[in-house]
């Protein structure tokens, strides 16, 4: 199924299962997806489901158990604060003078962010942010195992980021493996998410009006292609009491992918209209959940938005445009929702 999301000659082609969600369930509040899974997209039911209890460690998007080892909320919070400090430090430094953001996105943006924020860390750590490692967990753990075993482990107190310093303090092979796994869990999603978000915005709406605030462009991109497009909650007795269509053994999949396009909630829902955010509050708009529910917002959102605005502004200042010969953008079925490749070129 091909779904046109802008008046420009570009067509967004969703993976079959994503297209089926739009075709079969758009506008519904509660519906069955599988014999043991119920989908939820209505804002009222969503609010009650996500407020019923906190996410368990296996339901968290980033800080799930790492190779069988639980990650406490205190540790996850400390790691997030550390990455936030690293991002702020990177934004306070002068930008490189030879920035070239033309090429395939989100890869080009991802590499730029990796080097902007984490360039002072050793190669064995920066390698953990490779998009290639997304292919399979086995490949990721192979790289981690080799990196933890190699001699020359970074020395604490060296020229490292805060996240790199945390890894450098690990002693022994097992602790180094864990430290490298945490480094990837914390650093890679920042680069992945921001570059995908900006890539989506460029595909959906570029060229932009000069007076359109970057924050509005980002919020509208998050609406039409939310990188975190679903929120899983495993079966829990609270949910049947909220809605009788949810059985005691049913997992619940909350779907911002659908609520963000619900015609009952949005005017002209399939059109990229950043000006709508002049009058909407992203924290209180019903059905808008790009960073999760108000009861448990994503800790990384305060890093994602400033980085996305910076990266988008750099692209706009450079006068880069989506290749006029690219008319189709594929959106595969992945955990991070985004156009597979957007080709940015200089104006002809």
């Amino acid at each position: 199924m091909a779904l046109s999301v802008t008046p420009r000659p570009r067509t967004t082609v969703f993976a079959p299962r994503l297209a089926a969600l739009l075709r079969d369930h758009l506008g519904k509040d509660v519906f069955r997806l599988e014999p043991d899974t119920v989908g939820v997209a209505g804002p009222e039911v969503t609010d009650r489901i996500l407020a019923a209890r906190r996410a368990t460690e296996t339901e968290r998007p980033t800080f799930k158990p790492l190779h069988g080892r639980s990650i406490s909320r205190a540790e996850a919070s400390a790691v997030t604060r550390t990455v936030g400090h690293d991002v702020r430090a990177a934004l306070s430094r002068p930008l490189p003078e030879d920035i070239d953001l033309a090429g395939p996105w989100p890869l080009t943006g991802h590499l730029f962010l990796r080097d902007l924020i984490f360039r002072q860390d050793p190669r064995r750590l920066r390698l953990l942010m490779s998009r290639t490692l997304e292919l399979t967990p086995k490949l990721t753990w192979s790289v981690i195992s080799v990196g933890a075993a190699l001699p020359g482990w970074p020395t604490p107190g060296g020229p490292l980021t805060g996240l790199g310093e945390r890894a450098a303090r690990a002693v022994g092979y097992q602790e180094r493996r864990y430290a490298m796994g945490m480094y990837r869990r914390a650093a890679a999603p920042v680069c992945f998410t921001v570059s995908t978000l900006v890539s989506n915005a460029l595909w959906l709406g570029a060229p932009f009006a000069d007076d359109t605030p970057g924050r509005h462009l980002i919020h509208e991109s998050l609406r039409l292609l939310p990188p975190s497009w679903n929120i899983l909650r495993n079966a829990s007795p609270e949910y049947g009491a909220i809605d009788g269509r949810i059985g005691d053994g049913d997992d619940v999949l909350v779907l911002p992918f659908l609520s963000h396009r619900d015609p009952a909630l949005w005017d002209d829902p399939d059109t990229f209209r950043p000006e709508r955010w002049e009058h909407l509050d992203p924290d209180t708009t019903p059905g808008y959940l790009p960073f999760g529910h108000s009861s448990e917002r994503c800790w990384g959102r305060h890093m994602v938005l400033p980085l996305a605005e910076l990266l988008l502004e750099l692209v706009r200042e450079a006068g880069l445009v989506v290749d006029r010969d690219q008319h189709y953008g594929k959106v595969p079925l992945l955990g991070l929702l985004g156009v597979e490749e957007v080709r940015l070129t200089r104006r002809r």
Side-chain angles (χ1 to χ4, degrees), residues 13-16 18 229 329-341:
V13 182
F14 290 104
L18 294 172
W229 61 276
K330 296 180 180 180
V331 178
L333 184 65
L334 297 173
L336 189 67
L337 193 70
V339 181
E340 189 172 58
E341 181 178 284

Side-chain angles (χ1 to χ4, degrees), residues 36-200:
D36 59 352
T37 305
V38 169
V40 170
E44 293 183 7
V45 181
T46 291
D47 284 344
R48 297 180 66 190
I49 291 289
L50 296 180
R53 63 169 175 79
R54 302 184 74 175
T56 65
E57 64 175 11
T58 59
E59 294 167 344
R60 297 183 211 157
T62 300
F63 294 107
K64 293 179 173 68
L66 182 58
H67 214 59
R69 177 171 166 178
S70 293
I71 301 171
S72 70
R73 288 185 177 273
E75 182 180 9
S77 177
V79 169
T80 302
R81 289 196 302 271
T82 299
V83 180
H85 181 272
D86 290 337
V87 169
R88 290 191 295 273
L91 292 176
S92 70
R93 295 190 293 262
L95 292 172
E97 296 181 358
D98 56 346
I99 299 173
D100 183 4
L101 296 174
W105 278 67
L107 177 62
T108 300
H110 173 86
L111 296 177
F112 169 78
L113 291 173
R114 180 200 64 186
D115 295 339
L116 176 72
I117 305 169
F118 303 103
R119 64 174 179 263
Q120 64 211 69
D121 287 339
R123 187 171 183 272
R124 79 177 74 196
L125 295 179
R126 289 186 293 111
L127 186 62
L128 295 172
M129 286 175 283
S130 169
R131 298 184 77 93
T132 303
L133 299 187
E134 291 291 284
L135 295 174
T136 167
K138 185 175 181 179
L139 177 60
T140 301
W141 278 103
S142 295
V143 171
I144 287 174
S145 297
V146 172
L150 285 174
W153 187 254
T155 303
L160 302 167
T161 64
L163 194 61
E165 176 70 21
R166 289 182 66 95
R169 294 199 295 266
V171 176
Y173 174 70
Q174 293 299 334
E175 286 303 307
R176 289 175 178 177
R177 287 178 78 233
Y178 180 78
M180 291 185 72
M182 283 295 290
Y183 188 98
R184 175 171 172 79
R185 286 280 186 91
V190 175
C191 299
F192 288 162
T193 302
V194 173
S195 58
T196 297
L197 171 55
V198 174
S199 182
N200 290 346

Side-chain angles (χ1 to χ4, degrees), residues 222-267:
L222 283 166
R223 185 183 71 82
L224 283 171
L225 288 174
S228 297
W229 61 276
N230 69 81
I231 303 169
L232 174 66
R233 289 293 181 267
N234 293 320
S236 189
E238 297 94 339
Y239 302 148
I242 291 171
D243 192 289
R245 289 168 288 185
I246 304 173
D248 291 342
D250 286 333
D251 294 334
V252 175
L253 196 65
V254 176
L255 290 160
F257 179 59
L258 295 183
S259 64
H260 286 194
R261 291 173 178 267
D262 189 337
L265 301 175
W266 308 92
D267 294 331

Side-chain angles (χ1 to χ4, degrees), residues 212-224 260 265-266 271-290:
T212 304
R215 183 63 62 98
H216 292 175
L217 298 172
I218 297 301
H219 284 313
E220 186 68 348
S221 174
L222 283 166
R223 185 183 71 82
L224 283 171
H260 286 194
L265 301 175
W266 308 92
T271 301
F272 187 85
R273 287 178 48 190
E275 63 273 13
R276 74 175 82 234
W277 295 102
E278 294 175 7
H279 309 292
L280 293 176
D281 182 346
D283 288 332
T284 59
T285 298
Y288 187 65
L289 300 167

